[in-house]
Amino acid sequence: MALLTPNDLININKQLQEADSVVKRVTGLDIKGVCQSLYGTSPSSKKVGIVPVTSGNGIIGNFSASLHVITQYFGFDGFVTDMPDVSGYYEAVQNGAEIILMADDHTFLAHNIKNGKMANNQPCTGIIYAEIASRYLKADSKDVLVMGLGKVGFPGAAQLVQKGFRVYGYDPDARLLKRAVSNLGIIPFDPANPKKFSIIFEATPCANTIPEAVLSENCVLSTPGIPCAISEELKNKYDVQLVAEPLGIGTVSMLYSVL
Ligand SMILES: NC(=O)C1=CN([C@@H]2O[C@H](COP(=O)(O)OP(=O)(O)OC[C@H]3O[C@@H](n4cnc5c(N)ncnc54)[C@H](O)[C@@H]3O)[C@@H](O)[C@H]2O)C=CC1
Ligand SMILES: N[C@@H](CCCCNC(=O)[C@H]1CCC=N1)C(=O)O
Ligand SMILES: [Mg+2]
């Protein structure tokens, strides 16, 4: 499980603002607008209880505080409980939380205790980053490249297939590539025989996963992957429209999916 570090989350509000302006440039919508079109739900100021969890590797510095900033940025009424774990959950419900946000080392969930809906961060992240990529106003074809077909990448690839794109996918894990080809009907991308794309979605925990040969001028790279999939040098050389943010875009996708 690739865990966030406090350093990934420094000044999350500025990171959200920067990501929002790229999303607007790429899709014509802001992040909230993409969520509304994805889930058909509208903005809400619902009370969100953020519960720190000490299990496993324990509390991650800046994590709960960042979730608080994220809920406020997107217009929800968030609060972080004083206590963690079971006591924190009890405190959140006692203080009127309608949605609970909490994460251990394996699962980051949003649970709407009023309507029973529950969301998992991994598919919600893949779906929204794929949706942003698919809405690139200047895309010159329906071809899209997906790098990484794991817990975030596979649901993102499924979203792109569902929206009628011609999805080329790659993962060095042959089992996962085979699963995506047989379950989603994607085209296995051959790194030895690359082609250029204007839309790329990446979801891997590795740097430099995007070969220069697939980059076209002004292409969109939509990636939740940490560290970033592309070097600053390549990003500048091709003027890549990079949509990348460590926590907030995936979280607001979870929140809108449980409204
Ligand atoms: N920004 C955000 O909001 C979020 C970011 N993440 C990050 O997204 C990344 C992916 O997370 P998961 O899908 O849960 O991990 P995962 O381990 O389930 O999947 C990652 C996949 O990438 C593949 N991969 C590795 N190198 C590759 C390469 N060169 N080309 C293509 N595929 C390659 C691996 O074989 C693996 O199947 C992690 O870095 C995680 O921290 C996860 C959730 C939210
Ligand atoms: N238990 C800790 C939070 C652990 C979160 C681990 N999961 C990740 O880092 C995932 C979530 C999005 C990106 N990576 C706390 O409450 O402070
Ligand atoms: Mg994110």
Side-chain angles (χ1 to χ4, degrees):
M1 178 73 200
L3 302 184
L4 283 163
T5 69
N7 188 51
D8 294 326
L9 299 171
I10 288 168
N11 203 343
I12 193 72
N13 200 62
K14 181 165 175 284
Q15 295 195 62
L16 276 172
Q17 284 171 331
E18 286 168 358
D20 222 347
S21 67
V22 180
V23 170
K24 278 179 217 154
R25 190 167 65 234
V26 162
T27 69
L29 297 170
D30 62 6
I31 295 165
K32 277 172 84 169
V34 174
C35 285
Q36 287 168 49
S37 70
L38 246 186
Y39 299 110
T41 44
S42 45
S44 144
S45 59
K46 281 195 179 343
K47 260 193 132 174
V48 180
I50 298 158
V51 184
V53 172
T54 62
S55 69
N57 282 280
I59 301 277
I60 295 178
N62 294 338
F63 184 78
S64 295
S66 296
L67 289 181
H68 191 196
V69 170
I70 290 159
T71 52
Q72 307 305 96
Y73 181 91
F74 290 111
F76 291 86
D77 177 11
F79 64 97
V80 180
T81 58
D82 296 333
M83 294 293 283
D85 305 325
V86 176
S87 304
Y89 190 98
Y90 190 86
E91 185 187 331
V93 176
Q94 274 215 310
N95 284 283
E98 296 174 82
I99 300 171
I100 300 288
L101 272 187
M102 60 184 179
D104 65 15
D105 294 344
H106 308 280
T107 303
F108 172 20
L109 66 83
H111 184 210
N112 183 326
I113 49 184
K114 300 296 174 213
N115 66 16
K117 289 184 184 178
M118 186 161 74
N120 180 301
N121 175 259
Q122 284 149 343
C124 284
T125 298
I127 287 166
I128 189 160
Y129 276 87
E131 179 71 13
I132 289 167
S134 74
R135 287 177 163 272
Y136 185 29
L137 295 168
K138 289 196 279 181
D140 55 14
S141 98
K142 298 289 275 182
D143 291 358
V144 57
L145 176 60
V146 177
M147 294 298 252
L149 293 163
K151 296 183 283 298
V152 174
F154 184 90
Q159 171 73 5
L160 291 160
V161 168
Q162 203 184 338
K163 289 197 74 173
F165 285 79
R166 190 174 26 260
V167 180
Y168 293 76
Y170 177 69
D171 195 306
D173 181 329
R175 195 178 47 82
L176 292 176
L177 179 57
K178 191 160 163 283
R179 174 184 69 157
V181 169
S182 50
N183 292 16
L184 302 178
I186 65 161
I187 304 159
F189 171 77
D190 175 8
N193 182 18
K195 65 189 276 291
K196 292 198 173 296
F197 290 86
S198 59
I199 302 177
I200 303 168
F201 163 59
E202 190 264 13
T204 86
C206 304
N208 304 317
T209 54
I210 310 296
E212 179 166 356
V214 304
L215 294 174
S216 58
E217 188 61 28
N218 246 311
C219 65
V220 158
L221 171 56
S222 182
T223 173
I226 300 171
C228 188
I230 192 169
S231 66
E232 195 62 25
E233 179 218 354
L234 266 186
K235 175 175 175 281
N236 296 333
K237 185 174 175 185
Y238 290 85
D239 194 12
V240 173
Q241 306 295 307
L242 177 65
V243 179
E245 184 278 339
L247 184 59
I249 295 176
T251 299
V252 68
S253 175
M254 294 162 76
L255 291 171
Y256 269 74
S257 79
V258 299
L259 290 179

